[in-house]
Amino acid sequence: NPSYMFSSCRNSNCSFLEWFWLITIALLTTVATGLISLYQLNGVDQAMISTRYYTMMVPANFTFQIWAVIYTSWIALGIYQAYAYCNQNSGWMGAIRQKLWGHTGVSPCSIMLLSIVMLLTLVWLFAWHFSMIFTSLLVMSLILGVLGYWWYRDRPTEMKYTKWVMELTAGWITVAIIANLGAFFVSADIVPDMISHRSFVYFIGFPALAWALGFFFYTRSQVALGVLTWSILGLISARSGESLIQVILIALLVISLVLNVLLGDKKIKLP
């Protein structure tokens, strides 16, 4: 009975999907990703594939540590839903939960959409490790589409912490899809040499980053803007031999920092 599966939480009477599903998928995705990275699926790791399909829109290696933050946020949201919300006790945990989030849990729609994002992330890893670059681009586009659907459907009414988790993921996927598009162009020999690599950065990479900065500012997503700032910093570090590209990236970094300050300052009225 779907209405029972998505029933409202009352004490410890949460449905399976509201209580156990989110933490299960989060842990499954995290463990599977760790095993794939540790044992090099298909004999390669993600960095090897990135090197094989080199593109100037891939940031420095340290930037990818944000995946650890994303996975941790998924697990933390699952733990919150399973214990702090569905197990609504009256002890100190209940007091903290009520102070931070009130009586609100993750909405059923957000649970399902985030679960789809997690599972698609695993599918992307398999496609990437087997050099199925077009498929990986398609999967990354699906992830962005799911996040975009959530953005317009559930974001206005979701609790704050769920917004942070989804916006964190959306910010990074935005950068990742630009890099995946570059890798696809390389694999299809659309970007065969250094001149066309630079053209991709100027005509696709920079406009996409600028659009993302404007969109996340317009929608008041300081978390996603912060992710873009981090990513631009990684791009600056990776493009040390490209003076003009570095200058433009530094300008985008300054713009990103200014927009973050504007969103963070409650005294500033935004349009």
Side-chain angles (χ1 to χ4, degrees), residues 71-214:
Y71 290 142
T72 302
S73 73
W74 290 349
I75 294 171
L77 187 63
I79 291 172
Y80 163 76
Q81 181 72 3
Y83 183 77
Y85 178 53
C86 287
N87 185 25
Q88 292 183 20
N89 54 59
S90 58
W92 63 271
M93 178 59 76
I96 293 176
R97 174 192 53 74
Q98 185 172 355
K99 183 175 180 60
L100 293 178
W101 294 290
H103 293 282
T104 307
V106 187
S107 73
C109 182
S110 291
I111 290 175
M112 296 307 298
L113 292 177
L114 181 55
S115 299
I116 293 170
V117 167
M118 294 176 190
L119 294 175
L120 284 175
T121 301
L122 276 182
V123 174
W124 173 83
L125 276 172
F126 277 89
W128 187 252
H129 277 257
F130 283 91
S131 294
M132 301 166 65
I133 306 304
F134 176 74
T135 302
S136 72
L137 177 62
L138 180 62
V139 173
M140 193 65 71
S141 300
L142 287 173
I143 294 173
L144 192 62
V146 172
L147 290 168
Y149 178 75
W150 172 86
W151 202 280
Y152 286 102
R153 186 192 186 282
D154 265 25
R155 182 174 181 261
T157 58
E158 261 296 354
M159 71 168 186
K160 185 177 292 185
Y161 183 64
T162 306
K163 288 182 182 179
W164 292 345
V165 173
M166 298 294 272
E167 291 172 14
L168 173 69
T169 308
W172 180 248
I173 293 299
T174 301
V175 176
I177 199 170
I178 299 172
N180 269 247
L181 182 62
F184 169 69
F185 282 175
V186 171
S187 69
D189 207 30
I190 299 173
V191 178
D193 53 36
M194 192 57 67
I195 293 176
S196 50
H197 271 282
R198 293 191 184 98
S199 297
F200 174 78
V201 173
Y202 293 138
F203 294 107
I204 296 178
F206 285 157
L209 275 179
W211 178 88
L213 287 171

Side-chain angles (χ1 to χ4, degrees), residues 30-41 44-46 129:
T30 303
V31 171
T33 302
L35 291 174
I36 289 172
S37 300
L38 181 63
Y39 292 104
Q40 295 190 344
L41 180 65
V44 295
D45 57 29
Q46 294 182 47
H129 277 257

